[in-house]
Amino acid sequence: MKPKTEKKINIKAELLSEINKTDLADLCSVTEEAIKDGGGFGWINPPPRETLKKYWKGVVLIKNRKLIVGRLDGVIAGTLQLVMQPPNNEAQSKIFNISSQFVAPWARGYGLAKLIIDEAESIGLENGANFIQLDVRETQDAAIQLFKSKGYERWGTNPNYAQVKGKKIKGLYFSKKIK
């Protein structure tokens, strides 16, 4: 009897500056899945596919926004947007923001989210960031634990952060010194 061998899963994070058709389809699919799972970075219900396509195409056009994707065996399975301050905000130019971070439910547990955050921090350092900050709904326990495990410190709470299905949800604010 042959021993059972496990397939090695390949994960990687990368900066995406252009979106091809395959990546666009992946981004739309994983976004829909994340929204249905409750982690759709503001969306409560998946919008029409055309709206998602326009959204993702637009993200890569914004100069002060970096789209970082995580791939599991070559397929985009998660994203994070690293947002730099606009040129007119010199006072906060060294503070970047993490926005719209998620990993598709089927791709969780492989370390992809941590890898995406590591890549965001590296890109932040390369672009002059001293601090990275973010906010998350209080109901997103896995994301909260993830950011805490990566050294992000909670500094505040917004009691009126979001409303989902008629229920008011608090927002939690985190920051990390990276330089």
Side-chain angles (χ1 to χ4, degrees):
M1 179 176 222
K2 288 185 178 180
K4 196 176 192 180
T5 58
E6 283 192 37
K7 180 184 173 204
K8 181 165 170 40
I9 302 295
N10 180 24
I11 64 168
K12 77 176 193 175
E14 66 182 90
L15 178 63
L16 202 63
S17 54
E18 293 180 357
I19 300 177
N20 63 40
K21 288 181 181 181
T22 301
D23 287 345
L24 184 58
D26 289 349
L27 284 164
C28 292
S29 292
V30 297
T31 302
E32 290 165 343
E33 291 175 39
I35 293 166
K36 290 174 186 173
D37 194 52
F41 55 90
W43 274 304
I44 297 169
N45 299 300
R49 182 57 73 105
E50 262 324 293
T51 300
L52 288 176
K53 286 179 180 179
K54 288 176 185 175
Y55 173 81
W56 287 115
K57 288 178 182 178
V59 167
V60 296
L61 297 176
I62 302 170
K63 290 187 186 262
N64 69 324
R65 193 171 287 256
K66 305 284 187 190
L67 176 59
I68 300 157
V69 299
R71 294 183 187 270
L72 195 139
D73 288 339
V75 176
I76 294 177
T79 74
L80 177 152
Q81 293 175 46
L82 185 64
V83 183
M84 300 171 282
Q85 301 302 327
N88 67 303
N89 191 350
E90 291 176 330
Q92 294 180 331
S93 65
K94 302 290 185 188
I95 303 169
F96 291 14
N97 294 287
I98 286 177
S99 171
S100 310
Q101 189 271 335
F102 70 89
V103 172
W106 55 265
R108 294 178 186 156
Y110 295 100
L112 194 56
K114 288 181 180 182
L115 191 64
I116 294 170
I117 293 167
D118 290 344
E119 183 70 10
E121 290 176 2
S122 292
I123 291 170
L125 283 169
E126 290 169 11
N127 286 276
N130 290 339
F131 296 91
I132 295 182
Q133 56 190 16
L134 62 102
D135 54 85
V136 63
R137 288 185 219 154
E138 70 176 337
T139 55
Q140 295 174 317
D141 295 325
I144 293 165
Q145 292 311 309
L146 169 66
F147 285 112
K148 284 181 177 179
S149 78
K150 297 299 293 173
Y152 286 79
E153 296 179 9
R154 182 173 158 193
W155 63 266
T157 303
N158 177 350
N160 301 305
Y161 181 80
Q163 188 168 355
V164 178
K165 297 180 183 173
K167 183 181 177 192
K168 184 171 71 168
I169 298 173
K170 294 178 187 172
L172 309 179
Y173 292 83
F174 293 85
S175 181
K176 180 179 179 179
K177 181 178 169 94
I178 60 168
K179 183 177 181 183

